[in-house]
Amino acid sequence: MTETTTSGLTRLRGSGYGAIIAGVFLAVLSLLLPFVYAAAGILLIGLFGWITARQKNVPTTVAIGVIAIGAIGVVEALPGVGLGLSPLVLAGVAIAFGVFDIIAGTLLDRLPGRA
């Protein structure tokens, strides 16, 4: 049950996709549910995706991005613990960092001298 070998830049892009997906879901769910429930739901979805990907022996990088945003959201939702970011601000930051991860991974992958 070993994960297929991928480069670090491929993993960076995969987690960027996960962060974007989680950011969009966080924005939508936080309009329907309290912040802590929306973030916990995203964290649980990410954990379910990670477990499923591990069982099917596929890369888990997207799920790791979702888990990260869900965990950060849970911390932010707890009173007096996080930085005080609102769910929509956190969603925007997650999407921005996800886009950055994808762009950085793509540009670094195209550097000359990479095998």
Side-chain angles (χ1 to χ4, degrees), residues 4 30-31 36 39 42-43 49 58 60-61 67 73 79 88 101 105-106 110:
T4 58
S30 67
L31 296 175
V36 70
I42 290 169
L43 179 61
V58 296
T60 59
T61 55
I67 290 169
L88 294 178
D101 286 349
T106 302
R110 296 182 193 277

Side-chain angles (χ1 to χ4, degrees), residues 5-21:
T5 305
T6 57
S7 74
L9 297 174
T10 302
R11 290 190 303 266
L12 177 67
R13 286 192 301 266
S15 63
Y17 289 121
I20 291 171
I21 291 166

Side-chain angles (χ1 to χ4, degrees), residues 20-75:
I20 291 171
I21 291 166
V24 170
F25 279 131
L26 180 62
V28 172
L29 285 178
S30 67
L31 296 175
L32 304 172
L33 300 170
F35 187 14
V36 70
Y37 296 131
I42 290 169
L43 179 61
L44 290 174
I45 290 168
L47 288 171
F48 178 75
W50 182 77
I51 291 168
T52 303
R54 293 286 294 177
Q55 289 175 345
K56 295 184 185 277
N57 200 25
V58 296
T60 59
T61 55
V62 174
I64 290 172
V66 174
I67 290 169
I69 300 306
I72 293 168
V74 168
V75 169

